[in-house]
Amino acid sequence: MSEPANDTNAQAVDYVIEDAWQKLAGITPARIALGRAGTGLPTREVLRFALAHAQARDAVHTPFDSARMAGEIAALGFETVEIASAASARDAYLRRPDLGRRLADESRVLLRERAGGPFDLAIVVADGLSSTAIHAQAVPFLAEFKARIGETGWSVGPVAVASQARVALGDEVGELMQASAVVVLIGERPGLSSPDSLGLYLTFAPRVGRSDAERNCISNVRGEGLSHAHAAFKLAWLLKEALARRLTGVSLKDESDLLLVEGRPPSARIG
């Protein structure tokens, strides 16, 4: 047990027993080396857990500001279109995952009228299970990825800003846009130390009925995880390979990091 704190009245006593791995806790947000007080957790850790749990719940239930998001994406130079899934409200979205995977009838009509195509890539920005993540990460990521698009000359359809949406919604959007591939930017299910994590799902030849095994995923895009620049680099590499090999998913391994080893052309590095 640690020594009593230096208090002139000898009333404040620290009963917390520090964990031997305490130094490791300083290099990760993961909940490790918490210490203990008696047979339980220190009060500070109990409070931190309660805060993290509240932040995760907020991430799920905070309303998605699709109009603001569409405006910020348009400011980057992308054409945008706001759409919604068949889940009419958050409760329906959480209880009926199948509804979040299909477009609302009005959005399907809208896309048929406005989507145009064909395109090399369709982009969907979806709230998923963390609107907090989309609000924080989508625009900075797209700013990085736009530079990659400019380097390659890929044609890109209007960015679809989708409410109450799950990953598979991108299959229908990509199909309607006649896109060779679709990438869905989506708020990931919040963890207790990561309520703001963005996921990217790439699918070649999107159409309704694709399975998750036919997608490539880049996960944990956020300040404390994979940087926006690194994620944009990985997505560009995967998209280039997907278009060349005409596949994604378990048959396409992410070997983009091989370009980062010493001696490779500077243009292949993260810029």
Side-chain angles (χ1 to χ4, degrees):
M1 182 176 296
S2 59
E3 293 297 326
N6 183 18
D7 186 291
T8 55
N9 296 320
Q11 293 177 347
V13 180
D14 185 0
Y15 292 104
V16 175
I17 299 175
E18 301 293 349
D19 190 285
W21 289 8
Q22 180 64 36
K23 289 184 178 179
L24 296 178
I27 58 175
T28 173
R31 192 161 275 104
I32 63 171
L34 304 181
R36 64 185 174 89
T39 58
L41 289 171
T43 300
R44 65 168 186 258
E45 297 300 337
V46 174
L47 294 175
R48 285 182 58 208
F49 181 88
L51 175 61
H53 189 257
Q55 290 173 328
R57 289 179 60 86
D58 284 349
V60 173
H61 293 286
T62 297
F64 179 41
D65 192 342
S66 60
R68 171 194 142 197
M69 184 57 52
E72 292 180 359
I73 293 171
L76 294 177
F78 290 99
E79 184 181 350
T80 63
V81 57
E82 291 183 60
I83 60 173
S85 77
S88 57
R90 201 59 171 170
D91 284 351
Y93 173 82
L94 295 174
R95 295 173 189 274
R96 291 283 306 275
D98 57 314
L99 296 179
R101 298 182 182 118
R102 297 302 306 267
L103 284 167
D105 292 341
E106 300 81 2
S107 293
R108 188 175 299 113
V109 171
L110 178 63
L111 280 178
R112 282 176 177 151
E113 292 176 349
R114 288 193 49 191
F119 300 105
D120 293 320
L121 179 66
I123 300 176
V124 179
V125 175
D127 51 358
L129 285 169
S130 175
S131 52
T132 297
I134 285 295
H135 290 155
Q137 315 297 348
V139 171
F141 168 78
L142 284 174
E144 294 285 351
F145 188 59
K146 188 170 185 289
R148 298 289 174 180
I149 294 173
E151 293 172 357
T152 57
W154 289 319
S155 60
V156 179
V159 176
V161 181
S163 301
Q164 314 292 7
R166 294 183 184 268
V167 172
L169 190 82
D171 296 337
E172 191 171 7
V173 174
E175 186 175 6
L176 288 168
M177 289 190 181
Q178 304 176 64
S180 297
V182 63
V183 61
V184 179
L185 284 59
I186 194 165
E188 294 181 343
R189 183 186 304 275
L192 286 176
S193 59
S194 56
D196 59 347
S197 184
L198 177 71
L200 314 173
Y201 289 81
L202 177 66
T203 309
F204 178 75
R207 62 176 182 271
V208 174
R210 284 294 193 192
S211 73
D212 289 341
E214 296 173 293
R215 315 185 197 283
N216 285 89
C217 177
I218 300 170
S219 185
N220 197 30
V221 180
R222 63 193 186 103
E224 296 78 12
L226 191 67
S227 71
H228 301 124
H230 200 163
F233 168 78
K234 280 183 170 292
L235 178 60
W237 187 92
L238 284 168
L239 178 58
K240 180 181 178 182
E241 294 299 319
L243 296 177
R245 304 186 201 183
R246 303 183 64 76
L247 52 81
T248 46
V250 295
S251 299
L252 178 59
K253 300 302 180 187
D254 179 7
E255 297 174 335
S256 60
D257 286 344
L258 296 178
L259 294 177
L260 302 178
V261 298
E262 200 65 31
R264 294 300 180 114
S267 60
R269 297 173 182 273
I270 300 172

